[in-house]
């Protein structure tokens, strides 16, 4: 019965590879020969990542035909904090991101979007380089730039990393976004869209605005102690995970896929927090 189910699209974003609070491999050797080892907090994130990869590789119910990486895959150079709280060069961050994405199903097409300029380079498109490196491994990968329109079955999605940073009422800009897509469609300036998929805010949200599904993607980084964020600490606690989208019998489908929350302190240690187990994916 599962073999008859439509294959899905896995949407994820904000991996922040080699941030002290983002994804990393258990260890890797830098260009200077230094061995970098992941902190306990990074190992927890990696455990979640491997569980997701195992799910889409082995579960017939969650087979995916495409993996969408909607920006900010890398930590970048963190110029605002003069390079603090991150590891590795840009080339090393690309290499680790490629290793992580190569864990996704071999038959799936990996589409990558660029993210905020903060996590790019002034000299090259780092997210495009991720795609180039994946292709060298024989993977089918596409660089989609800063934004694009994508097909989901017979429907159309607008995909872009950038998003309003409203944190008190995050649904308000999501609905405003949807309404303007409708206005511009009726004015003949934009195609009709059925999905709006954005990232950047590290929170998972879903709104059905009278026919347009608006999705805000979660992240793969815990809260980082940047001074501007610390001033509003409880407003910036991220969701960790991804989302599945697909169409089935002419209907759009969406499945939030979140992992249990936790915090990472400045020593890389895990700080456990209470959570409602019903909302999160169970880890064996």
């Amino acid at each position: 019965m599962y073999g008859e189910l439509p294959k899905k699209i896995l949407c994820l974003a904000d991996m922040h590879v080699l941030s002290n609070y983002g994804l990393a491999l258990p260890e890797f050797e830098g260009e200077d020969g230094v061995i970098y080892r992941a902190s306990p907090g990074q190992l927890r994130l990696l455990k979640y990542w491997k569980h997701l990869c195992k799910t889409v590789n082995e579960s017939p119910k969650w087979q995916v035909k495409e993996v969408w990486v909607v920006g900010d895959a890398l930590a970048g150079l963190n110029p605002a904090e003069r390079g603090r709280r991150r590891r590795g060069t840009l080339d090393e961050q690309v290499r680790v991101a490629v290793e992580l994405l190569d864990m996704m199903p071999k038959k799936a097409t990996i589409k990558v979007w660029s993210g905020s300029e903060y996590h790019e380079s002034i000299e090259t498109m780092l997210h495009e380089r991720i795609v180039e490196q994946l292709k060298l491994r024989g993977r089918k990968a596409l660089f989609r730039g800063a934004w694009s329109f994508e097909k989901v079955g017979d429907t159309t999605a607008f995909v872009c990393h950038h998003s309003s940073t409203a944190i008190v009422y995050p649904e308000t800009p999501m609905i405003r976004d949807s309404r303007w897509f409708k206005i511009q469609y009726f004015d003949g300036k934009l195609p009709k869209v059925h999905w709006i998929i954005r990232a950047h805010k590290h929170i998972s949200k879903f709104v059905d605005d009278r026919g347009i599904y608006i999705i805000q993607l979660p992240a793969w980084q815990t809260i980082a102690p940047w001074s501007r964020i610390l001033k509003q600490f409880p407003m910036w606690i991220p969701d960790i995970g991804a989302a599945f989208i697909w169409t089935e019998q002419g209907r759009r489908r969406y499945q939030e896929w979140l992992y249990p929350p936790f915090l990472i302190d400045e020593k890389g240690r895990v700080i456990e927090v209470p959570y409602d187990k019903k909302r999160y994916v169970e880890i064996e």
Side-chain angles (χ1 to χ4, degrees):
M1 103 181 221
Y2 283 153
E4 300 174 357
L5 293 174
K7 290 189 176 180
K8 299 164 177 63
I9 296 172
L10 173 64
C11 303
L12 56 94
D14 292 284
M15 296 165 63
H16 291 275
V17 168
L18 294 190
S19 157
N20 288 359
Y21 304 89
L23 279 167
L25 295 173
E27 68 174 39
F28 76 97
E29 183 176 352
E31 296 171 353
D32 54 2
V34 173
I35 301 297
Y36 293 91
R37 293 183 173 84
S39 70
Q42 289 173 315
L43 291 176
R44 173 75 65 89
L45 288 170
L46 182 61
K47 180 180 179 181
Y48 292 172
W49 180 266
K50 287 184 174 179
H51 180 272
L52 176 62
C53 292
K54 182 177 176 20
T55 299
V56 295
N57 272 290
E58 299 181 6
S59 172
K61 183 178 179 181
W62 298 107
Q63 291 183 67
V64 296
K65 61 181 178 180
E66 294 183 359
V67 177
W68 293 1
V69 184
V70 190
D72 281 6
L74 311 175
L77 294 177
N78 198 5
E81 296 181 280
R82 300 184 180 182
R84 296 178 64 198
R85 303 189 178 100
R86 56 94 188 174
R87 298 180 178 188
T89 65
L90 295 177
D91 286 339
E92 290 164 353
Q93 291 176 20
V94 168
R95 175 158 56 92
V96 173
V98 169
E99 289 284 348
L100 292 166
L101 289 171
D102 201 28
M103 297 179 188
M104 291 293 171
K106 301 303 181 184
K107 293 183 179 180
T109 299
I110 300 176
K111 295 182 178 181
V112 180
W113 285 258
S114 57
S116 56
E117 290 79 4
Y118 189 89
H119 299 287
E120 281 284 1
S121 165
I122 61 173
E123 298 174 346
T124 184
M125 297 294 288
L126 295 176
H127 289 76
E128 187 172 20
R129 192 184 301 175
I130 291 172
V131 167
E132 293 169 352
Q133 293 296 318
L134 285 168
K135 288 180 177 179
L136 291 177
R137 293 178 174 228
R139 302 300 302 258
K140 186 176 181 181
L142 298 170
F143 177 61
R144 306 301 289 148
W147 61 272
S148 67
F149 294 104
E150 302 292 328
K151 298 303 293 183
V152 183
D154 294 328
T155 65
T156 300
F158 174 78
V159 185
C160 179
H161 172 82
H162 298 276
S163 177
S164 166
T165 53
I167 55 176
V168 178
Y169 302 109
E171 294 86 356
T172 299
M174 294 170 70
I175 294 175
R176 183 174 62 235
D177 202 16
S178 170
R179 298 294 166 87
W180 273 102
F181 267 97
K182 292 175 182 177
I183 290 170
Q184 300 292 33
Y185 165 67
F186 284 113
D187 279 351
K189 296 180 181 179
L190 286 175
K192 183 176 182 178
V193 300
H194 307 85
W195 314 75
I196 300 171
I197 298 174
R198 294 187 182 272
H200 188 62
K201 291 193 286 190
H202 297 200
I203 60 171
S204 179
K205 290 286 181 183
F206 171 80
V207 175
D208 179 357
D209 180 36
R210 299 183 180 181
I212 294 183
Y213 282 12
I214 317 161
I215 298 171
Q216 193 74 46
L217 294 174
W220 288 88
Q221 181 187 41
T222 65
I223 190 168
W226 185 28
S227 58
R228 287 176 59 183
I229 288 177
L230 292 177
K231 294 174 184 177
Q232 301 171 320
F233 184 83
M235 298 181 181
W236 289 99
I237 305 300
D239 292 311
I240 301 168
F244 290 91
I245 63 172
W246 71 99
T247 59
E248 185 176 6
Q249 297 178 347
R251 296 184 178 182
R252 287 164 294 161
R253 304 294 189 188
Y254 159 78
Q255 177 61 58
E256 185 180 57
W257 194 271
L258 297 182
Y259 288 96
F262 68 98
L263 304 173
I264 300 176
D265 70 12
E266 293 191 80
K267 297 293 185 181
R269 297 168 297 202
V270 171
I271 300 176
E272 303 288 0
V273 297
Y275 61 89
D276 181 0
K277 293 183 178 180
K278 295 179 181 179
R279 189 184 177 196
Y280 299 97
V281 177
E282 293 185 5
I283 301 292
E284 297 178 356

